[in-house]
Amino acid sequence: MANEVIPHSLFSEFDVALFQSGKHFKLYEKFGSHELEVNGEKGVYFAVWAPNAKSVSVTGNFNFWDKEHHALFVRWDGSGIWEGFIPGLGNGETYKYVIQTYTGEQLEKGDPFAFRWEIAPKTASVVHSTWYEWQDKQWMQERAVKNRLDQPWSVYEVHLGSWSRDPESPDTLLNYREIAVQLVSYVKEMNFTHVEFMPLMEHPYYPSWGYQITGYFAASSRYGSAQDLMYLIEELHAAGIGVLLDWVPSHFPGDAHGLYRFDGTSLYEHEDPRKGFHPDWQSYIFNYGRNEVRSFLISNAFYWLDRFHIDGLRVDAVASMLYLDYSRNAGEWIPNEFGGNENLEAVQFLKELNEAVYGHFPDVQTIAEESTSWPSVSRPTYAGGLGFGMKWMMGWMHDTLDYFKEDPINRSYHHDRLTFATVYAFHENFMLPLSHDEVVYGKQSLIYKMPGDEWQKFANLRALYLFMYTFSGTKLLFMGGEFGQTSEWNVNQSLDWHLLEFAPHQGMKQFVADLNAVYKAQPSLYQKAFDAAGFEWIDAGDRENSIVVYWRKGFDSWDDTVVVLNLTPVVREHFRIGLPYAGEWEVLLNSDDLTYFGSGIHNLHIHSEHLHWMNQVQSAQLHLPPLGGYILKRKRAVEEVNPIKQGERIPV
């Protein structure tokens, strides 16, 4: 059996004061289990917050799971922190805390700050280091530019356990390093700018997709160690790809070894179920009014940004945090002090979170998954906002999918669904998501949401993507959508990669890769993504033909592009559109190209005429493809591309 517990502390009085005031944002350096050397002896220091416990002991393999022998010492200052140093222990040691309550309960709890956990269904914490010799210095120096809001954001959303599996062992999850070999090259080939991982924190129930977290400070052991995940992130950075991580400060599960009633009381959650229990997810809501809980959560955000070099956090279920009556009937919720339904404590927490994150990590972004009309989610806190960098544009997603689901013969009656988003598109810094939530639970895959025969389904989906990538806002596409996955997403199996043996899916994949490339190469499509000055309808009213024409603007007018979409299966020959500038125009991307499984309608030469049309002084006639469209850009003359120096002859 290991040696006795020795009194030792990593906490200064200032640390404790910060923790108790909700202002300690690096608690992972203090709480949890840490390998140390004390008085010449190597061992592990343990620290846990359990203010209502009668006693706290450490149990594990090292003491044959004895529940009493290795009791920790409670601090004298009333902070509720129990701590101590056990010589002879080291990396890889499994352990739990045994908490004796004043009501006579004996609880076995995992460590809320553990850096590693056993692989589920086992539930013990593991002593683990997060040391890693990072090799991504260049990316970290450059990301301040790459992550700016006037840069391209094309995000590939990934669930790690179901993106790809070994065909020889389809029930076995690949680890972080194995996935890195395939994922990095694929995302680079597809020209995405960022990857967003669905939650990778430790979670006991795999089908929760990672959204029911018990180990907030641990990379899921299903896929390997913390260092294995760091390697995956480093490889993505080496390929010039940013990494976003889903983060869940909204709720946690009621597993006996987790945060729920951690010291026999509602420590992390509200005692009153009207504020502390989530009816939709049968989970528990953090007590945002408790200073120590805010320190825990903000420290967790810092941990992933600090130790794992994460480039941004997508904050899950923000709406459920903001409203006290979220998914509740009358009488099932408690109004705030002013009688309203706003959760004022959660609002203050989110503001503090964003102020702290941007204050310490100014080159990252936070993104809110917020589905209501709460104002100024992505506006600075000093201007009354919540302080997020971006917000998911759920209204655009629902309206656009509803429109594209319609048979083209009916689309003239639903034209406003396509155009309405510009009414509110610039109220927030919006990200346009086609996420995992849209391809599960009977909602069908994106390709099968589209009407028509096989050719029309693929043409419609290419047109939808063309609209998405050329509309204002940043972009997010869930895995499988890029090649037209036909079945709904199933967390228990790999994507249907075999579909790429077939031409329609090959064409879709190539189209998305080329669309990403054009998006990244054309400043007009991203520089003013959140500014009304970057978008102008040339014609939004042609509901009879289901045609829209719009103008995207960059900082330099030579970068401007025009997009035209024909959303019926009828070829429109000699269709005149207005153009903002005179000259010769070229097609940067044609969603109907034969390469993409299209019909091959194209335009060889586009010359504008001085003919007023669609409120523009220039216009041109085009052949418009069925269920497709173009991105157009005017060509520069040679002398405009390469200005002639004074005294040089202009070449003939």
Side-chain angles (χ1 to χ4, degrees):
M1 186 173 287
N3 296 323
E4 298 293 327
V5 180
I6 296 173
H8 187 74
S9 183
L10 293 180
F11 288 88
S12 66
E13 290 185 21
F14 186 54
D15 284 323
V16 173
L18 286 175
F19 173 50
Q20 292 182 318
S21 63
K23 299 299 182 182
H24 201 309
F25 303 147
K26 289 194 173 182
L27 291 177
Y28 50 90
E29 295 178 347
K30 309 293 179 178
F31 279 114
S33 56
H34 301 271
E35 289 186 281
L36 299 177
E37 186 172 314
V38 176
N39 299 326
E41 288 190 276
K42 293 182 178 180
V44 174
Y45 164 79
F46 296 91
V48 64
W49 179 52
N52 302 298
K54 185 177 182 181
S55 68
V56 178
S57 299
V58 184
T59 185
N61 288 330
F62 66 92
N63 65 7
F64 307 105
W65 298 96
D66 184 286
K67 296 182 180 180
E68 300 176 358
H69 191 76
H70 290 90
L72 298 178
F73 300 95
V74 66
R75 286 183 62 89
W76 54 270
D77 53 16
S79 62
I81 298 171
W82 300 75
E83 57 188 348
F85 175 78
I86 304 179
L89 303 188
N91 194 50
E93 197 71 59
T94 57
Y95 68 98
K96 282 187 177 181
Y97 295 119
V98 178
I99 297 175
Q100 300 287 347
T101 74
Y102 281 99
T103 59
E105 292 179 279
Q106 186 180 76
L107 308 175
E108 291 189 24
K109 292 287 187 177
D111 189 340
F113 285 87
F115 295 149
R116 190 167 189 180
W117 291 63
E118 290 184 301
I119 299 175
K122 294 182 178 180
T123 57
S125 302
V126 181
V127 178
H128 191 70
S129 168
T130 59
W131 183 87
Y132 188 75
E133 192 169 348
W134 284 93
Q135 304 293 323
D136 65 347
K137 183 178 180 180
Q138 181 177 348
W139 169 266
M140 296 297 283
Q141 290 175 338
E142 295 176 351
R143 75 174 185 177
V145 173
K146 292 181 180 292
N147 283 343
R148 282 194 337 221
L149 295 180
D150 62 356
Q151 295 297 302
W153 283 75
S154 175
V155 182
Y156 187 52
E157 187 188 21
V158 172
H159 178 268
L160 211 60
S162 56
W163 182 74
S164 180
R165 297 189 182 184
D166 184 350
E168 302 298 320
S169 183
D171 294 329
T172 303
L173 299 177
L174 300 177
N175 64 38
Y176 297 113
R177 290 178 182 266
E178 291 171 330
I179 290 171
V181 174
Q182 304 174 46
L183 183 64
V184 175
S185 60
Y186 182 77
V187 175
K188 188 174 183 179
E189 174 195 355
M190 294 302 296
N191 293 309
F192 287 99
T193 64
H194 294 73
V195 166
E196 179 184 312
F197 289 118
M198 292 168 68
L200 293 175
M201 301 81 176
E202 195 58 80
H203 51 285
Y205 185 54
Y206 178 72
S208 77
W209 310 340
Y211 292 99
Q212 298 266 1
I213 298 169
T214 49
Y216 271 81
F217 290 83
S220 179
S221 297
R222 290 177 176 85
Y223 311 114
S225 67
Q227 287 74 17
D228 294 334
L229 174 55
M230 291 170 183
Y231 172 81
L232 170 58
I233 294 167
E234 182 179 82
E235 288 294 291
L236 285 162
H237 284 171
I241 300 161
V243 181
L244 310 178
L245 185 59
D246 273 13
W247 186 58
V248 190
S250 48
H251 65 119
F252 59 87
D255 295 71
H257 64 284
L259 297 178
Y260 173 63
R261 298 192 67 81
F262 187 79
D263 62 359
T265 68
S266 295
L267 189 61
Y268 288 89
E269 71 275 20
H270 279 277
E271 180 71 32
D272 192 323
R274 291 175 294 177
K275 291 185 74 174
F277 182 71
H278 201 299
D280 279 359
W281 303 313
Q282 301 292 295
S283 56
Y284 296 86
I285 301 168
F286 284 102
N287 184 349
Y288 306 109
R290 191 161 199 166
N291 292 342
E292 294 90 343
V293 171
R294 293 202 308 277
S295 282
F296 171 84
L297 288 171
I298 297 177
S299 289
N300 187 243
F302 272 42
Y303 172 74
W304 294 102
L305 297 169
D306 174 18
R307 297 286 174 91
F308 287 81
H309 291 195
I310 293 296
D311 302 298
L313 297 171
R314 178 268 197 183
V315 183
D316 183 65
V318 172
S320 75
M321 300 169 65
L322 293 174
Y323 297 97
L324 295 165
D325 60 346
Y326 186 89
S327 287
R328 298 177 190 275
N329 298 315
E332 296 176 349
W333 60 283
I334 307 172
N336 63 34
E337 60 189 282
F338 304 107
N341 66 341
E342 303 88 357
N343 188 332
L344 301 179
E345 295 170 347
V347 170
Q348 185 59 33
F349 161 71
L350 290 170
K351 290 181 177 181
E352 290 180 9
L353 164 73
N354 284 312
E355 288 172 354
V357 166
Y358 283 110
H360 289 79
F361 304 92
D363 50 355
V364 307
Q365 296 291 345
T366 60
I367 305 165
E369 189 228 355
E370 204 286 307
S371 55
T372 74
S373 57
W374 186 281
S376 301
V377 171
S378 57
R379 296 293 179 257
T381 57
Y382 62 75
L386 294 182
F388 286 94
M390 286 177 268
K391 169 183 170 173
W392 274 21
M393 195 177 187
M394 311 297 276
W396 173 90
M397 178 187 70
H398 293 306
D399 285 348
T400 302
L401 287 176
D402 285 346
Y403 176 86
F404 274 90
K405 288 176 186 176
E406 289 289 342
D407 189 301
I409 200 170
N410 298 322
R411 284 179 177 169
S412 62
Y413 304 109
H414 302 280
H415 195 72
D416 293 345
R417 288 185 180 175
L418 197 67
T419 60
F420 179 71
T422 47
V423 172
Y424 60 91
F426 308 106
H427 294 175
E428 301 276 4
N429 297 340
F430 278 121
M431 174 175 279
L432 313 183
L434 291 173
S435 74
H436 63 274
D437 281 324
E438 301 313 305
V439 293
V440 290
Y441 298 145
K443 295 180 182 178
Q444 298 184 303
S445 62
L446 288 178
I447 192 67
Y448 280 161
K449 293 179 192 289
M450 302 296 107
D453 59 21
E454 181 185 53
W455 188 92
Q456 290 182 342
K457 287 182 187 298
F458 279 89
N460 269 303
L461 189 56
R462 291 194 304 273
L464 189 161
Y465 291 159
L466 183 61
F467 178 58
M468 171 185 179
Y469 271 80
T470 55
F471 196 76
S472 294
T474 52
K475 327 297 174 187
L476 177 137
L477 182 61
F478 183 56
M479 64 183 198
E482 78 279 8
F483 63 80
Q485 167 102 0
T486 52
S487 60
E488 284 191 340
W489 171 50
N490 184 343
V491 72
N492 293 309
Q493 65 185 44
S494 169
L495 295 179
D496 295 333
W497 294 106
H498 64 276
L499 292 175
L500 289 172
E501 299 172 11
F502 304 101
H505 299 278
Q506 292 173 0
M508 182 65 72
K509 175 175 174 284
Q510 188 60 55
F511 175 70
V512 172
D514 291 350
L515 182 58
N516 271 323
V518 171
Y519 168 68
K520 293 195 299 181
Q522 299 305 318
S524 66
L525 298 179
Y526 60 78
Q527 284 180 338
K528 298 179 180 179
F530 313 120
D531 186 349
F535 184 99
E536 182 177 328
W537 288 112
I538 292 176
D539 187 6
D542 190 353
R543 62 174 62 245
E544 182 179 346
N545 292 312
S546 298
I547 292 173
V548 290
V549 186
Y550 48 96
W551 174 9
R552 293 302 311 276
K553 305 173 186 180
F555 296 150
D556 184 337
S557 64
W558 278 107
D559 291 325
D560 289 4
T561 49
V562 168
V563 180
V564 54
L565 284 167
N566 172 25
L567 299 173
T568 66
V570 179
V571 178
R572 306 289 180 180
E573 296 187 356
H574 309 297
F575 188 91
R576 185 171 292 277
I577 68 167
L579 291 170
Y581 305 114
E584 186 175 358
W585 290 69
E586 63 181 324
V587 176
L588 297 180
L589 191 68
N590 173 8
S591 71
D592 192 52
D593 194 281
L594 290 171
T595 305
Y596 310 138
F597 194 59
S599 65
I601 300 295
H602 63 281
N603 296 264
L604 291 177
H605 302 289
I606 305 172
H607 296 278
S608 72
E609 302 173 64
H610 187 60
L611 179 61
H612 192 278
W613 203 262
M614 296 179 177
N615 294 318
Q616 305 297 317
V617 295
Q618 296 286 319
S619 62
Q621 287 188 333
L622 303 178
H623 300 307
L624 298 187
L627 297 172
Y630 306 131
I631 303 175
L632 307 176
K633 186 177 183 180
R634 61 176 168 157
K635 292 183 178 181
R636 286 198 185 197
V638 173
E639 59 269 25
E640 292 166 328
V641 177
N642 301 299
I644 304 300
K645 295 179 181 177
Q646 188 173 6
E648 289 185 334
R649 293 180 58 125
I650 297 176
V652 178

